[in-house]
Amino acid sequence: MKLKDKVAIVTGAASGMGKAIAELYAKEGAKVIVADLNLEKAEAVSKEINENNGVAQAIEVNIVEQEDIDNMIDTAIESYGTLDILVNNAGVMDGFEPVGDILDERWDLIFDINTKGAMRAMRKAMPIFLEKQEGIIINTTSTGGLNGAHAGAIYSASKHALVGLTKNTGFMYAEKGIRCNGIAPGAIETNISDSMKNINHFGAERTKIAQSAIPKTGQAEEIAKVALFLASDDSSFINGTIVTADGGWTAAF
């Protein structure tokens, strides 16, 4: 029980990596807030966790709304008395569009979800962590946040920004007992492709060069194990870094 009596929030937890993280955290003893825009699916995840002797509560969260983020963290405090672990996993893909084809509204939406949403949740959680002089933040970044040709320009830029935010936060609060790390998954079998709209043919063709080097795809449960490591005392000296979990994909570059 590596997370016994810990309280964790996982965003984007109704499916994919978020679901796997929430389930593993609960199995390891954490009380979990299952946060997602899709409340029905979040409730299904929460129900399954509780039926398996875990503790979980579903909450509907639109990560682009500060009010929803505030309510999410306030709910953790009201329900379980504290917050120990914040996992910013919610995210969406772009349509592989290169910079010449970017629409402002598309740029703003993807940054609001992938970058600003994580920042707002971190900002809201920080006073709690500072008062306790301990806390753990885990951001799902992506290999697209480390390289230039794993997605389109907007997704890549949003995840690069999240990498920078993660590293800066890890350093800034290192002496306050707060750790902030990221996970950069490679090709994982999830439903994130459902968020892809209006695929850009030129951009998609260009990314095939990088995608051709993918040695294997991963499972959401494999990323959850990395998230468990980063949330537990096993990673007590790891801070302000990005753990790449891509089956060796980026080792080719």
Side-chain angles (χ1 to χ4, degrees):
M1 302 287 280
K2 292 185 177 182
L3 303 180
K4 183 174 174 57
D5 297 326
K6 299 294 185 180
V7 177
I9 291 173
V10 183
T11 68
S15 62
M17 294 183 294
K19 177 177 182 288
I21 292 168
E23 290 174 339
L24 184 56
Y25 278 13
K27 184 178 179 181
E28 290 291 335
K31 301 175 181 70
V32 183
I33 297 291
V34 180
D36 202 280
L37 183 61
N38 190 322
L39 181 59
E40 183 178 355
K41 287 187 176 181
E43 287 178 334
V45 173
S46 176
K47 183 173 182 287
E48 184 177 349
I49 288 173
N50 288 314
E51 287 176 348
N52 285 294
N53 301 314
V55 178
Q57 179 178 348
I59 183 169
E60 182 177 357
V61 176
N62 183 345
I63 206 68
V64 306
E65 299 292 341
Q66 181 70 60
E67 183 178 355
D68 281 14
I69 292 172
D70 292 347
N71 181 57
M72 172 182 75
I73 294 178
D74 289 343
T75 297
I77 301 299
E78 292 165 4
S79 298
Y80 305 122
T82 191
L83 177 64
D84 300 292
I85 304 159
L86 172 63
V87 181
N88 291 305
N89 171 73
V92 294
M93 283 286 290
D94 57 15
F96 292 113
E97 52 266 60
V99 70
D101 296 328
I102 290 174
L103 300 176
D104 282 1
E105 57 269 26
R106 181 89 153 145
W107 175 279
D108 291 343
L109 176 61
I110 292 174
F111 262 81
D112 280 350
I113 296 171
N114 291 356
T115 311
K116 189 186 288 184
M119 178 278 291
R120 285 174 162 172
M122 292 162 66
R123 183 176 63 192
K124 173 69 175 178
M126 197 55 67
I128 301 166
F129 292 161
L130 286 171
E131 183 177 355
K132 291 162 48 124
Q133 289 289 286
E134 65 176 350
I136 292 170
I137 301 167
I138 300 168
N139 295 324
T140 301
T141 59
S142 169
T143 53
L146 304 173
N147 299 278
H150 290 194
I154 311 174
Y155 182 85
S156 298
S158 72
K159 292 297 187 176
H160 272 75
L162 187 56
V163 167
L165 178 63
T166 299
K167 291 183 175 183
N168 178 271
T169 302
F171 174 78
M172 288 291 186
Y173 296 97
E175 296 178 337
K176 304 295 184 180
I178 299 167
R179 294 193 292 116
C180 182
N181 293 295
I183 304 173
I188 307 299
E189 296 179 22
T190 71
N191 63 343
I192 193 171
S193 61
D194 293 346
S195 68
M196 299 174 67
K197 309 295 182 184
N198 302 317
I199 303 300
N200 184 284
H201 178 71
F202 171 73
E205 285 297 312
R206 291 295 292 159
T207 61
K208 284 183 179 179
I209 299 170
Q211 292 168 5
S212 67
I214 296 172
K216 60 182 293 188
T217 57
Q219 301 299 316
E221 291 74 17
E222 293 177 287
I223 302 303
K225 292 176 183 177
V226 180
L228 174 61
F229 169 68
L230 291 176
S232 74
D233 290 339
D234 290 344
S235 61
S236 60
F237 201 55
I238 297 178
N239 191 18
T241 195
I242 309 298
V243 178
T244 304
D246 67 354
W249 180 16
T250 53
F253 308 123

